[in-house]
PDB file of all heavy atoms in Angstrom:
ATOM      1  N   ASP A 488       0.281  17.064  44.058  1.00  0.00           N
ATOM      2  CA  ASP A 488       0.609  15.926  44.950  1.00  0.00           C
ATOM      3  C   ASP A 488      -0.375  14.810  44.598  1.00  0.00           C
ATOM      4  O   ASP A 488      -0.032  13.544  44.893  1.00  0.00           O
ATOM      5  CB  ASP A 488       0.377  16.289  46.392  1.00  0.00           C
ATOM      6  CG  ASP A 488       1.616  16.762  47.075  1.00  0.00           C
ATOM      7  OD1 ASP A 488       2.681  16.774  46.319  1.00  0.00           O
ATOM      8  OD2 ASP A 488       1.601  17.096  48.244  1.00  0.00           O
ATOM      9  N   ARG A 489      -1.498  14.988  43.990  1.00  0.00           N
ATOM     10  CA  ARG A 489      -2.489  13.990  43.688  1.00  0.00           C
ATOM     11  C   ARG A 489      -2.662  13.730  42.169  1.00  0.00           C
ATOM     12  O   ARG A 489      -3.574  13.025  41.741  1.00  0.00           O
ATOM     13  CB  ARG A 489      -3.864  14.322  44.304  1.00  0.00           C
ATOM     14  CG  ARG A 489      -3.776  14.323  45.824  1.00  0.00           C
ATOM     15  CD  ARG A 489      -4.974  15.111  46.431  1.00  0.00           C
ATOM     16  NE  ARG A 489      -4.906  14.992  47.870  1.00  0.00           N
ATOM     17  CZ  ARG A 489      -4.201  15.793  48.648  1.00  0.00           C
ATOM     18  NH1 ARG A 489      -3.376  16.717  48.047  1.00  0.00           N
ATOM     19  NH2 ARG A 489      -4.185  15.722  49.975  1.00  0.00           N
ATOM     20  N   PHE A 490      -1.783  14.331  41.311  1.00  0.00           N
ATOM     21  CA  PHE A 490      -1.921  14.172  39.967  1.00  0.00           C
ATOM     22  C   PHE A 490      -1.682  12.752  39.484  1.00  0.00           C
ATOM     23  O   PHE A 490      -0.778  12.065  40.004  1.00  0.00           O
ATOM     24  CB  PHE A 490      -0.854  15.057  39.280  1.00  0.00           C
ATOM     25  CG  PHE A 490      -1.054  15.226  37.810  1.00  0.00           C
ATOM     26  CD1 PHE A 490      -2.027  16.068  37.268  1.00  0.00           C
ATOM     27  CD2 PHE A 490      -0.278  14.592  36.850  1.00  0.00           C
ATOM     28  CE1 PHE A 490      -2.210  16.248  35.941  1.00  0.00           C
ATOM     29  CE2 PHE A 490      -0.401  14.707  35.469  1.00  0.00           C
ATOM     30  CZ  PHE A 490      -1.454  15.537  35.024  1.00  0.00           C
ATOM     31  N   ALA A 491      -2.546  12.255  38.695  1.00  0.00           N
ATOM     32  CA  ALA A 491      -2.625  10.844  38.314  1.00  0.00           C
ATOM     33  C   ALA A 491      -1.158  10.468  37.732  1.00  0.00           C
ATOM     34  O   ALA A 491      -0.474  11.178  36.990  1.00  0.00           O
ATOM     35  CB  ALA A 491      -3.673  10.480  37.262  1.00  0.00           C
ATOM     36  N   PHE A 492      -0.697   9.263  38.109  1.00  0.00           N
ATOM     37  CA  PHE A 492       0.494   8.593  37.660  1.00  0.00           C
ATOM     38  C   PHE A 492       1.743   9.377  38.159  1.00  0.00           C
ATOM     39  O   PHE A 492       2.868   9.071  37.658  1.00  0.00           O
ATOM     40  CB  PHE A 492       0.490   8.472  36.190  1.00  0.00           C
ATOM     41  CG  PHE A 492      -0.773   8.035  35.568  1.00  0.00           C
ATOM     42  CD1 PHE A 492      -1.517   8.827  34.721  1.00  0.00           C
ATOM     43  CD2 PHE A 492      -1.302   6.776  35.936  1.00  0.00           C
ATOM     44  CE1 PHE A 492      -2.655   8.271  34.205  1.00  0.00           C
ATOM     45  CE2 PHE A 492      -2.388   6.291  35.390  1.00  0.00           C
ATOM     46  CZ  PHE A 492      -3.133   7.043  34.522  1.00  0.00           C
ATOM     47  N   ARG A 493       1.590  10.282  39.163  1.00  0.00           N
ATOM     48  CA  ARG A 493       2.705  11.047  39.637  1.00  0.00           C
ATOM     49  C   ARG A 493       3.703  10.087  40.221  1.00  0.00           C
ATOM     50  O   ARG A 493       4.896  10.247  40.133  1.00  0.00           O
ATOM     51  CB  ARG A 493       2.228  12.051  40.665  1.00  0.00           C
ATOM     52  CG  ARG A 493       3.310  12.810  41.339  1.00  0.00           C
ATOM     53  CD  ARG A 493       2.787  13.834  42.339  1.00  0.00           C
ATOM     54  NE  ARG A 493       3.721  14.832  42.813  1.00  0.00           N
ATOM     55  CZ  ARG A 493       4.711  14.567  43.596  1.00  0.00           C
ATOM     56  NH1 ARG A 493       4.776  13.362  44.264  1.00  0.00           N
ATOM     57  NH2 ARG A 493       5.564  15.512  43.968  1.00  0.00           N
ATOM     58  N   ALA A 494       3.199   9.110  41.010  1.00  0.00           N
ATOM     59  CA  ALA A 494       4.195   8.208  41.751  1.00  0.00           C
ATOM     60  C   ALA A 494       5.003   7.470  40.767  1.00  0.00           C
ATOM     61  O   ALA A 494       6.237   7.302  40.913  1.00  0.00           O
ATOM     62  CB  ALA A 494       3.373   7.203  42.585  1.00  0.00           C
ATOM     63  N   ALA A 495       4.373   6.991  39.650  1.00  0.00           N
ATOM     64  CA  ALA A 495       5.152   6.204  38.675  1.00  0.00           C
ATOM     65  C   ALA A 495       6.226   7.063  37.979  1.00  0.00           C
ATOM     66  O   ALA A 495       7.301   6.716  37.734  1.00  0.00           O
ATOM     67  CB  ALA A 495       4.151   5.661  37.635  1.00  0.00           C
ATOM     68  N   LEU A 496       5.842   8.374  37.673  1.00  0.00           N
ATOM     69  CA  LEU A 496       6.813   9.268  37.095  1.00  0.00           C
ATOM     70  C   LEU A 496       7.901   9.614  38.004  1.00  0.00           C
ATOM     71  O   LEU A 496       9.063   9.661  37.606  1.00  0.00           O
ATOM     72  CB  LEU A 496       5.949  10.541  36.642  1.00  0.00           C
ATOM     73  CG  LEU A 496       4.896  10.319  35.533  1.00  0.00           C
ATOM     74  CD1 LEU A 496       4.111  11.525  35.267  1.00  0.00           C
ATOM     75  CD2 LEU A 496       5.733   9.919  34.188  1.00  0.00           C
ATOM     76  N   VAL A 497       7.601   9.865  39.264  1.00  0.00           N
ATOM     77  CA  VAL A 497       8.624  10.193  40.351  1.00  0.00           C
ATOM     78  C   VAL A 497       9.621   8.957  40.382  1.00  0.00           C
ATOM     79  O   VAL A 497      10.860   9.118  40.419  1.00  0.00           O
ATOM     80  CB  VAL A 497       8.013  10.588  41.624  1.00  0.00           C
ATOM     81  CG1 VAL A 497       9.086  10.476  42.691  1.00  0.00           C
ATOM     82  CG2 VAL A 497       7.346  11.851  41.523  1.00  0.00           C
ATOM     83  N   ARG A 498       9.012   7.823  40.415  1.00  0.00           N
ATOM     84  CA  ARG A 498       9.795   6.568  40.547  1.00  0.00           C
ATOM     85  C   ARG A 498      10.684   6.346  39.320  1.00  0.00           C
ATOM     86  O   ARG A 498      11.864   6.009  39.506  1.00  0.00           O
ATOM     87  CB  ARG A 498       8.915   5.364  40.787  1.00  0.00           C
ATOM     88  CG  ARG A 498       9.615   4.133  41.293  1.00  0.00           C
ATOM     89  CD  ARG A 498       8.557   3.012  41.440  1.00  0.00           C
ATOM     90  NE  ARG A 498       7.434   3.468  42.259  1.00  0.00           N
ATOM     91  CZ  ARG A 498       6.174   3.357  41.832  1.00  0.00           C
ATOM     92  NH1 ARG A 498       5.950   2.906  40.633  1.00  0.00           N
ATOM     93  NH2 ARG A 498       5.198   3.759  42.529  1.00  0.00           N
ATOM     94  N   ALA A 499      10.170   6.619  38.130  1.00  0.00           N
ATOM     95  CA  ALA A 499      10.904   6.407  36.917  1.00  0.00           C
ATOM     96  C   ALA A 499      12.099   7.385  36.817  1.00  0.00           C
ATOM     97  O   ALA A 499      13.202   6.914  36.502  1.00  0.00           O
ATOM     98  CB  ALA A 499       9.962   6.551  35.652  1.00  0.00           C
ATOM     99  N   GLN A 500      11.903   8.670  37.213  1.00  0.00           N
ATOM    100  CA  GLN A 500      12.980   9.616  36.981  1.00  0.00           C
ATOM    101  C   GLN A 500      14.089   9.272  38.123  1.00  0.00           C
ATOM    102  O   GLN A 500      15.261   9.565  38.026  1.00  0.00           O
ATOM    103  CB  GLN A 500      12.551  11.020  37.135  1.00  0.00           C
ATOM    104  CG  GLN A 500      11.904  11.437  38.515  1.00  0.00           C
ATOM    105  CD  GLN A 500      12.892  11.975  39.485  1.00  0.00           C
ATOM    106  OE1 GLN A 500      14.014  12.396  39.164  1.00  0.00           O
ATOM    107  NE2 GLN A 500      12.594  11.835  40.811  1.00  0.00           N
ATOM    108  N   ALA A 501      13.554   8.758  39.346  1.00  0.00           N
ATOM    109  CA  ALA A 501      14.631   8.459  40.357  1.00  0.00           C
ATOM    110  C   ALA A 501      15.403   7.222  39.974  1.00  0.00           C
ATOM    111  O   ALA A 501      16.641   7.296  40.227  1.00  0.00           O
ATOM    112  CB  ALA A 501      13.732   8.108  41.660  1.00  0.00           C
TER     113      ALA A 501
END
Side-chain angles (χ1 to χ4, degrees):
D488 270 358
R489 294 163 177 81
F490 193 74
F492 316 119
R493 181 181 190 279
L496 294 171
V497 168
R498 195 179 310 123
Q500 67 87 26

